[in-house]
Amino acid sequence: MAAWKTHKETCNKQVEFKRAAAEATKLVPKSPEELRAKLKNMKLAMDEQAPWNLIPDALKDMYEMTLKAPDHLRGEAGIDFTKEQLAGMHLQLGIWQFKKTQNLQAAMFHYEQATTIDPKHARAYFEMGVVLQLLFRKEPDVKKQLAMLQKNVELNEQAVKLKPGSWEDLLGPGRGKVALYTLKAAYGLLGSTHHTSGNRKDAIKIMRYAVKRWAGDPLLLHSLANSLLQEGLLDGPEGALVTYELADAAFQEGQASGDDQIRDIFVYPEGNSVPAGIANNLAGIYLQKGEWLKGLEHMRRAHALQPQEQRQRTIAMLEERLKE
């Protein structure tokens, strides 16, 4: 009953929001009186707006108009937008730019405005981090990339520190996991970018911290293991072999438990499967150590997860060697 009551209240708020938004966007204001009337409806719309809704195009224009409206008109109309509401308008405009036009710079501008007005606006910090994770991929200069990713970590940490209530309250129903994944990804991207730029010692330091903080996370373990492997740190309790084994076990556990997030994210943008890469690297380490059976076992699993001709040839070669 409690869940139904909450759902009903949410639906009622959506109706009130749409009604207020419709009234606010009916006419382009031609006089101060019309503008005041619109601002009153904007106030009601802001009172009822859920923070995860994508605002309609017409309301986007109204938000922009409201933010530009002279303070005296708001005062004369008896309308007092709180700093949270003004920051919320910038947040919604940023989300609109991000989702509707993919204009990352415009979205970032509005998120920055939101945090300037309300320095405790957790959602705005979170969204700034999302934009930075996309912007850094377009930046060719590695030093600038690293600076952006360091800022991304700081923004995500700020969001976590300031968030009111649950992530579901902040991002919308069913999106609670997104926030945690984004924070983990912030560390993962920073570590992996240090790795690819040749700063593997920094990469290992960052990833060790992340792995300690989120024990058992497969992606973070995988990134750490890659850096350890490149540094030649294969053996020992904190070496690449043990770390790859932990990543492999964590991935298989996630698959067994039906974790949709793990299934969805364990593919590189280029289409290369992360678990297949883990199994492939484990095979390489065991073969390097002369443990042919273990190497063959992991190579077979890598091929099963993502078939490749090179893996098939390696499997055939190992099978022939083991027959001798």
Side-chain angles (χ1 to χ4, degrees):
M1 288 298 293
W4 170 248
K5 182 180 179 183
T6 301
H7 173 71
K8 186 176 180 181
E9 288 173 352
T10 300
C11 290
N12 289 338
K13 284 189 175 183
Q14 293 297 328
V15 171
E16 289 301 316
F17 166 71
K18 289 177 181 177
R19 186 177 299 136
E23 289 299 320
T25 57
K26 273 183 180 177
L27 296 169
V28 176
K30 298 177 181 178
S31 68
E33 289 72 25
E34 287 186 7
L35 178 57
R36 292 186 193 105
K38 284 181 173 291
L39 287 175
K40 285 181 179 179
N41 279 296
M42 279 300 305
K43 183 71 164 62
L44 176 57
M46 285 303 298
D47 288 341
E48 300 297 344
Q49 166 74 331
W52 53 81
N53 286 340
L54 177 63
I55 55 176
D57 293 358
L59 193 55
K60 170 255 184 187
D61 295 335
M62 281 301 303
Y63 277 19
E64 290 179 336
M65 183 205 72
T66 302
L67 290 167
K68 293 174 183 176
D71 291 340
H72 75 272
L73 281 179
R74 297 178 192 165
E76 290 174 15
I79 298 167
D80 182 22
F81 286 101
T82 66
K83 69 176 182 179
E84 289 81 10
Q85 288 174 326
L86 292 171
M89 290 186 206
H90 275 295
L91 172 72
Q92 292 294 337
L93 288 170
I95 292 172
W96 190 92
Q97 291 287 356
F98 182 82
K99 291 186 176 181
K100 296 281 286 189
T101 69
Q102 289 77 54
N103 188 333
L104 301 182
Q105 298 290 355
M108 182 64 81
F109 167 79
H110 284 294
Y111 298 147
E112 287 173 344
Q113 289 297 305
T115 58
T116 299
I117 294 170
D118 180 10
K120 294 185 178 181
H121 202 304
R123 175 69 185 273
Y125 288 111
F126 169 81
E127 296 296 350
M128 286 169 72
V130 172
V131 172
L132 270 179
Q133 288 194 26
L134 296 173
L135 284 174
F136 108 93
R137 299 181 188 280
K138 302 182 180 205
E139 174 55 59
D141 187 281
V142 174
K143 287 185 178 179
K144 289 182 180 179
Q145 279 188 346
L146 290 171
M148 292 168 75
L149 291 175
Q150 182 61 49
K151 181 67 174 177
N152 179 34
V153 167
E154 294 167 5
L155 288 168
N156 276 275
E157 290 287 14
Q158 186 77 340
V160 170
K161 179 181 177 182
L162 294 173
K163 76 176 179 69
S166 71
W167 282 114
E168 298 279 329
D169 295 334
L170 203 62
L171 300 179
R175 295 195 69 215
K177 280 186 177 181
V178 174
L180 180 58
Y181 171 63
T182 303
L183 177 58
K184 291 180 182 179
Y187 280 96
L189 283 171
L190 181 60
S192 62
T193 304
H194 272 292
H195 172 90
T196 55
S197 65
N199 303 325
R200 296 195 185 101
K201 286 184 171 58
D202 289 332
I204 290 171
K205 182 179 178 181
I206 292 164
M207 297 314 300
R208 283 203 191 283
Y209 167 79
V211 164
K212 184 177 180 180
R213 183 170 174 180
W214 295 288
D217 183 89
L219 277 178
L220 298 176
L221 286 164
H222 173 247
S223 293
L224 173 59
N226 285 343
S227 294
L228 292 168
L229 179 64
Q230 292 298 317
E231 280 291 287
L233 303 172
L234 300 183
D235 300 314
E238 295 186 338
L241 177 57
V242 170
T243 307
Y244 274 128
E245 292 282 16
L246 290 171
D248 191 43
F251 167 73
Q252 293 188 63
E253 183 181 347
Q255 284 287 77
S257 67
D259 190 327
D260 290 334
Q261 187 182 27
I262 286 182
R263 283 203 298 271
D264 292 344
I265 66 178
F266 265 91
V267 177
Y268 285 128
E270 296 81 6
N272 294 319
S273 164
V274 174
I278 291 170
N280 192 90
N281 287 346
L282 278 169
I285 293 173
Y286 279 119
L287 292 175
Q288 184 177 333
K289 294 167 73 70
E291 298 186 36
W292 308 110
L293 279 173
K294 285 188 176 181
L296 176 58
E297 174 192 343
H298 285 292
M299 189 59 71
R300 282 173 174 165
R301 198 153 57 78
H303 185 63
L305 289 166
Q306 187 176 43
Q308 288 183 1
E309 289 185 12
Q310 179 59 48
R311 287 171 183 160
Q312 184 62 58
R313 288 195 293 269
T314 303
I315 290 168
M317 179 196 73
L318 290 171
E319 289 174 340
E320 285 297 318
R321 175 168 292 191
L322 288 168
K323 288 179 183 178
E324 297 174 359

